Amino acid sequence: SDFHRKKLNLIVLLDISGSMNSGFGSYYYDRFSFDKKNISRTEDDRKSKMQIANEAVNILIDQLKADDRLGIVVFAHEARVLKDIEFISEININKLKKKILEISAMGGTNLEAGYIKATKLLYKYKNSKKTEYENRIILITDAMPNTGIISTEGLLSYMKNNVNSGIYTTFIGVGVDFNTKFIEEISDVKGANYYSVHNSKEFKERMGEQFEFMVTPLVFDLNLNLNSDDYNIEMIYGSDTSKEQKGNLMKVNTLFPSKSSETGEVKGGVILVKLKEKAENKNGKLELEVSYKDRNGKEYKNSQTIYFHNNNKTVEFYDNSGIRKAIVLTRYV
């Protein structure tokens, strides 16, 4: 109930290269995602990725408010400004939507040229009413970023430099799953996030009802730590914490909210901690601590004491079936 996003200075950076003329399901991994998720193709999914992207951008426009600003940059082998940045209240929305629907795809893919152009367009507003506005570039592409992109001179270096100016970045992969290295690099950039969409329904939901969750970082520098005099941590599963930081269960540079289901459930994951009891265990005591910064840089901490007892050492205890499933999966892997 207390969730709200700030006003936006937003640039939509849209890939219009030739590969966007293909449809969802054209590549092997697209077809696999349809089969894997048991998704039946709709009439929409028979359209090209470019057509669906154009329609999805128009859905995004409907989520913006009168005092948000919007600009649009398109790129293929080179980049150009399709719409200079303006308040939504000053834009002829119907005319803009028609122009977007007429976008066609052709040419190569120059992600960096597009990103540089989008940054320049946004730069003049980057400090506009700093406490009220957040600045974001949403990059929509079906390209798989390669090693050149993640070099020190590449796209990610521009993203990191933009953070210093208060400009954040969202990646939306159209029919592609970004590789692990690129995902890790994105996750290390403050305020950045990424999504992959494999059909028109996912794409339009992401740009529509899930838009505000996508563009609103809630907290930064989230750390979850576990300390105990009674146990040693043998292993942590479900987190990329290194072995040298075993007390740190989870570190998230930027935490974004997720949409709740009708029953109040939110998609999430499980982190398992394998503990080894010390010989001198007296209390079975664990201290769990969380710390983070809010969007305005204010720091918060909270801790909870947990007493972990299993009197019947020969029988494994599971608090619920979800934990048991996670343990089974971990053992299987």
Side-chain angles (χ1 to χ4, degrees), residues 29 40 62 113 181 198 215 277 321:
Y29 43 80
S40 58
D62 289 336
K181 181 172 175 56
H198 291 95
V215 298
E277 188 175 10
S321 61

Side-chain angles (χ1 to χ4, degrees), residues 17 36 39 53 68 70 72 85 118 125 152 162 170 204 218 238 271 291 294-295 300-301 317-318:
S17 61
K36 177 176 64 176
I39 296 170
D68 291 321
L70 172 69
I72 300 175
I85 188 167
Y125 293 108
T152 53
N162 274 352
T170 294
K204 291 180 178 181
L218 283 187
I271 294 178
S291 62
D294 68 14
R295 286 185 285 177
Y300 294 84
K301 277 189 179 181
F317 168 76
Y318 310 99

